[in-house]
Every structure is written in structure tokens, then in C-alpha cells.
Amino acid sequence: MFPRRPSAFLRFLIPAGLLILAFYTLGGPSDISERVGPFTVSTPWGTKITTGGQHPIEVLIKRAEQEFEERIADKSETVGEAAAAYRKRRGRHPPPGFDKWFAFAQEKDALIVEDFFDQIYHDLEPFWGLPAKRIRKDAWDFEMRIQVRDGKATSGSDWFWTKIWLKLLQTIEDKLPDMDLALNAMDEPRLVVPWEEIDGYMTKAAETRKLADPSDIISEFQKLPPPGEGSEKSEVTPAKDWEKEKHYWLIARRGCPPDSLARQAPVINNFENTPLIKSSFALEHMQNGYVSNFTLSTDFCHQPDLQALEGIFVEPLSTSATKTMFPMFGGSKLAVNNEILLPAPMYLNEEERFMGSKGQNIPWEEKNDTVIWRGVATGGRNHEWNWRSFQRHRFVAMNNGTSITLAETHKQEPANFALPPAQYGLQAQQIGHLGKWVGNFSNVAFVDLMCGYPDQLPGRCNYTDPYYSLRKAMPMSEQFGNKYLPDIDGNSFSGRYLGFLRSTSLPIKATLWREWHDSRLVAWKHFVPMDSRFGDWYGIMEYFLGNPETGAKPHDEAAKRIAMAGREWAEKVLRKDDMQIYVYRLLLEYARVSDPKREKMGWVGDLPNSSESSNW
Ligand SMILES: *[C@@H]1O[C@H](CO)[C@@H](O)[C@H](O)[C@H]1NC(C)=O
Ligand SMILES: *[C@@H]1O[C@H](CO)[C@@H](O)[C@H](O)[C@H]1NC(C)=O
Ligand SMILES: *[C@@H]1O[C@H](CO)[C@@H](O)[C@H](O)[C@H]1NC(C)=O
Ligand SMILES: *[C@@H]1O[C@H](CO)[C@@H](O)[C@H](O)[C@H]1NC(C)=O
Ligand SMILES: *[C@@H]1O[C@H](CO)[C@@H](O)[C@H](O)[C@H]1NC(C)=O
Ligand SMILES: *[C@@H]1O[C@H](CO)[C@@H](O)[C@H](O)[C@H]1NC(C)=O
């Protein structure tokens, strides 16, 4: 077979671009430490931990606390401050109705920090480069939709997600301008406009980003005719040409920059074997083996190996995607998708299976020093020939003491995971007791194997049965009796995350999904971030739990502090009120960007009305 890594000769010969190819043909760079081309390759898992006696996690926690303090120091107490912060960050005037929005937020006792709304601008900015009429037409033209007219929100659809979003909109309907909202009713995100096209919209959008003279500003929204009767009726919008391609990687990667590894690296088509689990592509978002830039870790454009490590890329449950830019709202998306995010329906509905409202208050000290995870083998459509590439399958196997021990003792190679690299210096691993150590604290199992064959016993599956046994589902309230709550993506984002944050246990989060609240949470302050390969999992657990057998020191206080900070913060900025405030602001922006007069629309009530005084 091939050697495990490129020979010195090859490394000498192959320039940067080709190295990527070498990665796939030769088994990957296992210890290449030079900087090559557009990406950094160095020792897997970073350099060996040397941070002046401090554990790398301690360094990251301290940095997070500082970052958090800096972020909330920018809070706005008056509408004038909020408008000034807006202009500074967004380069435009706030939308019409901003003063009423601010009053509403204040009434709800919300903490107003401009950065908390970053996702809105990330999602809407490209639309400033699209003709407003086209946005309007596309919105009322879409079958699954909510419309707002004369302060009333309605929908023709009774799909349960639509009903939940409608209910939310109805709580603020009297404050909203007329508009139509197209909704994504699927789990999977559907819009992936090629990066090059978005780049063009962004360039056009940037040209519109200016502070118009206050005396020219239009501060009223336009009334709209009933859906389908607008002047935009004659507007011709491009066809959506919905794609059904099952291999979503092929669709998703076009949202990455042309020079990114996701676009450059060879496409993997065969998922039958143990996937290659190496950390080289994680280095950009890690520091000494742990996630140091969580936002970047959720972006896959620099991580082409994830195409064989995540169900969404291998085979989602369903695909119906388009390259055509149009305004569609959804509950979560990948970094490259172009949906406009609303808070996800399960967060608004507060179901026990996602929230576990009971049991959220168990005192930390009464909880067990254990890890709990229960879930269905989702992630996409797993089959006999691809299940090894599914993230939940990987994570469950990595928490199975028996499987780890078999791997450690070379009795059976792992089917879908890799033992942690030596760089972590895990004590249990050094004495050959990794499996024993993990088995002692981890209670991680599937409740249903979601088999690709229909003719199986309930929950079971002939090709994954040898690797997994089922355990009974556990209500969230009971799960909260454990201190540690890993959170792993399913078919899309994990709907229990908010419930985890609100609990007094500690969420440990790996994800590729973006949500409305991302800019409100600080990794290592409110939750523990984890790489999507999970190679850092054991290191994280050794830091917090220690190891009684070897004497590795636990950091229970540090875990408790993050758990409590996350809970307190969720109660402050992730309340239903906060979702309402977010959506209210989002929809003012959306209504403005859909209006042909958008460049002149705004709220300037805090400014002198003549251009002579330009102290804004
Ligand atoms: C994290 O990565 C993003 C995207 O590359 C970058 O814009 C940001 O500055 C990084 N943050 C930090 C703290 O390095
Ligand atoms: C196993 O876990 C228990 C309680 O969580 C702890 O007291 C014990 O020391 C652990 N044993 C090992 C070998 O880690
Ligand atoms: C599992 O069952 C299916 C259909 O019942 C069969 O085609 C397949 O060969 C079986 N696979 C294994 C590994 O037993
Ligand atoms: C752990 O792994 C063993 C062997 O691979 C398997 O038999 C067992 O069912 C697994 N346990 C769980 C909870 O999945
Ligand atoms: C801790 O574990 C023990 C033994 O499994 C169990 O009886 C107890 O209820 C657990 N504690 C909590 C708070 O869940
Ligand atoms: C400026 O505002 C004042 C007071 O609201 C008003 O009387 C005046 O007409 C405005 N001037 C312009 C140019 O809009």
C-alpha cells in the first residue's frame, strides 16, 4: 500500500497546491511542519503544550473572559447611543422605526449590544446588491410564506414550523411594516449561491453603504398591495432550478472562495472505509490542541476532510437546493448558506424533549461527574456503505470504553474513529487505560440506529449492530443530573442546545451550524467548544475531570463556572423576549432592503436635520 505520509523527496518536489492532492493519495500529512501555500500545516493538534505552565484550556478561558467583558462594555443605554453604535458598525442609518424598536427592547429589559445583531447583517447584506423589486416578487411568489399587511401576520400554510414562526410574528405584528416572508420548511438549508456571485452582490452592497443626509431621509415604510397584486408582478425573477443531488458536499462547497481547500481538494466519493481523521485542517482554528476561534471552526471552507466526517455532506435526509439568490428564512444553516436566520422553531416552542425545563436547577455539587448523551443516529441518511462518515456514529464510538480498549490493545482497529494523537499527553492513554478511563465517566449511546434498510427490528440495524447497542432514551431533566453535556449535530443543528445552556450542566459543543444567537455567546465563557473531528474531546475531559488513577488534577470549579455563566447569560440574552426583539429588528431591516427606496430610508431622529452639523 501507500506510505503513510509523503516522503521527504515528495515533499521537496510538490508545491503547495499539489500537497492537497498528496494528502488524499498518500494518506495525509502526519507531521509536516512547514507553512505551505495558503494554509498552514504543522504538527497535528498544534505544537506540544507549552504555555508557561498553564494548561492551554486555562489560557483560552482567561482570554474568553476578557473578550466577553470587552464585548458587553459596548452596551447602549439610550436610543441615541444605540443609533450611534449602529452607524459605526453598519455604515448606514438605522432602519425606520428604530426608536420604537429600541423602546420595545428596553421595555423588555434587554441588554442592547450592537454586535448581538451581527447575524442579521451577515444574512441581509448581499440583498443590498440585489434589486429590491426582485426581492419582493420572489418573497410573495414562494409557496411557503407568511405575509404581513396592515399590522396583521397571516399564513396560508399550516406546516407546524410555519405555525410556530407565525405565532412569534403575531406577537409583534402591530409593529411590523407590510412584507412577505418565504420560509424554508426543511431541516436542511437550501440556498447555496456561488461565492463569486455573492462576492458581486457584496461589492454592489458596499456601494450603497453610506450615511445619507438626514434631511433627505424617508422614515416611513411603504404600504404593500395584497400578495400577488403588486407592481412587481411584471418583474421577472430567475428560476430556482431546485437540485436533488444527494452528495451535498458538491453543492455546499460552491459557497466557499475559489482558492479555498473545500473548492480545491479532491472530492471523496467512497465512504466505505474508516475515514481519515487528522487534525491538519483544524490548525487554523485551534491553539495548542483546543478550539481558539469557534466561529472559524464552524466554517468548513478550510476543512475539506469534513466532507467525509459529517452526514450533511455525505448524504442529507433530503436535498432541494438552488444556486439562485432569493430571500428565504430558515432556522439554521451552514456557514456558506444564504438563508436569513430566524430563531429555530424548537426554541420558540419550548418542548421538554429539547428544553427539559424540569431539572434545570439541580445544584452542580449534586450532579455526577459524568457525561451523558442520548440520541438517534441521525446526521443524514446512513447506509451500510457510508455510516462511518457520520458524526454521531463517530462520537458514540469514541465514548465506548470497550471499543477504545480494543483499539488501544490493537485487538480491533476502530471502524470510524482514531485514538487521540500523543501530543495531548493524555495520562490514561500513556498507561494504556484510555478505554477504562472513558468507560468510567461516559454514558453515551444511541436510542435508535435509524437504519438504511427498512426491514429491521425497531431501532436496530444489521450493519451498525456489531458496533452499537441501544440504551433507553432519557428525559432531559434526568440528563441534567450529569455535569457534562456534549452536543453533537444531527440532521442539522442540535435543537437541545438552548436547553443545555439554560441548565446548570456544562454544554460541550461541536457544530457546523449557524444560528441567530451566535454572536451573543462566547466560547470558553458560556460553553466549551469542540472541534468537529472530536480529537480534543478526551483532552477536554481530562482537564475538567482529571484522572483518579494517575492523579491528573481535575478542574471542577472551572467547569462549574462556565456552566453557571452560560446559564446566567442564556437567561439574560437568549430569552424568548430576546428572540422577539431580534426578529423585530431583523424584519425592519428586511422590509427596508426590499423597498426600492431603501437607500434613502432610515431613522435619524437623533440627528440634527441639516447636513451642516455632521457630528454623526
Ligand atoms: C476568527 O476567525 C474569523 C474568520 O476567519 C476572523 O475574522 C476573526 O478575526 C478570528 N477571530 C479571532 C479572535 O482570531
Ligand atoms: C470512576 O468514577 C468514579 C466516580 O465518578 C470515581 O470515584 C473513580 O475514581 C473513577 N475511577 C477511575 C479509575 O477513573
Ligand atoms: C442487512 O440487511 C439487508 C437487507 O435486509 C441486506 O441486503 C444486507 O446485505 C444486510 N447487511 C448485513 C451486513 O448483514
Ligand atoms: C460498545 O462497543 C462494543 C464493541 O464494539 C459494542 O458491542 C457495544 O454495543 C457498544 N456499546 C454501545 C453503548 O454502543
Ligand atoms: C448519580 O448517579 C447515581 C448512580 O447512577 C444515581 O442514583 C443518581 O440519581 C445520580 N445523581 C443525579 C443527580 O442524577
Ligand atoms: C429641521 O427640524 C425643524 C424642527 O423639527 C423643522 O422645523 C425644520 O423644518 C427642519 N428643517 C429641514 C430642512 O428639514
Side-chain angles (χ1 to χ4, degrees), residues 132-270:
K133 283 185 171 179
R134 185 174 143 188
I135 300 175
R136 264 200 190 149
K137 167 79 183 290
D138 259 330
W140 64 249
D141 221 12
F142 197 67
E143 61 279 10
M144 180 77 76
R145 151 187 105 231
I146 290 175
Q147 54 256 325
V148 183
R149 292 293 185 280
D150 296 322
K152 287 268 170 278
T154 55
S155 176
S157 155
D158 63 359
W159 174 240
F160 71 105
W161 283 17
T162 307
K163 285 207 310 219
I164 297 169
W165 276 325
L166 179 64
K167 215 167 107 193
L168 168 71
L169 258 67
Q170 284 171 338
T171 65
I172 49 172
E173 59 184 1
D174 54 318
K175 300 167 181 57
L176 297 177
D178 288 358
M179 68 181 89
D180 299 298
L181 288 81
L183 301 171
N184 180 10
M186 286 171 49
D187 257 9
E188 295 84 1
R190 306 173 68 185
L191 272 177
V192 192
V193 182
W195 185 92
E196 290 86 337
E197 193 179 323
I198 291 293
D199 192 48
Y201 295 136
M202 293 298 275
T203 306
K204 281 194 197 158
E207 288 159 13
T208 70
R209 207 180 304 134
K210 51 183 176 281
L211 297 173
D213 188 324
S215 54
D216 293 339
I217 288 295
I218 302 165
S219 58
E220 297 295 324
F221 285 105
Q222 196 191 344
K223 286 271 171 211
L224 292 182
E229 292 176 23
S231 53
E232 296 83 19
K233 211 165 176 176
S234 56
E235 185 75 15
V236 180
T237 55
K240 309 285 186 298
D241 296 329
W242 297 106
E243 303 153 271
K244 305 287 175 202
E245 171 64 57
K246 282 183 182 166
H247 192 175
Y248 195 67
W249 176 254
L250 299 177
I251 290 175
R253 69 187 194 132
R254 70 179 176 231
C256 293
D259 59 353
S260 65
L261 290 171
R263 289 274 291 269
Q264 300 281 328
V267 169
I268 298 174
N269 288 305
N270 181 335

Side-chain angles (χ1 to χ4, degrees), residues 369-370 436-437 440-441 547-549:
D369 282 326
T370 41
K436 189 175 155 205
W437 175 66
N440 192 33
F441 66 72
N547 186 335
E549 195 183 0

Side-chain angles (χ1 to χ4, degrees), residues 271-291:
F271 305 100
E272 298 216 12
N273 302 316
T274 306
L276 193 65
I277 300 171
K278 297 251 180 208
S279 61
S280 326
F281 298 118
L283 289 174
E284 233 176 283
H285 58 256
M286 317 239 327
Q287 182 180 307
N288 293 323
Y290 298 96
V291 174

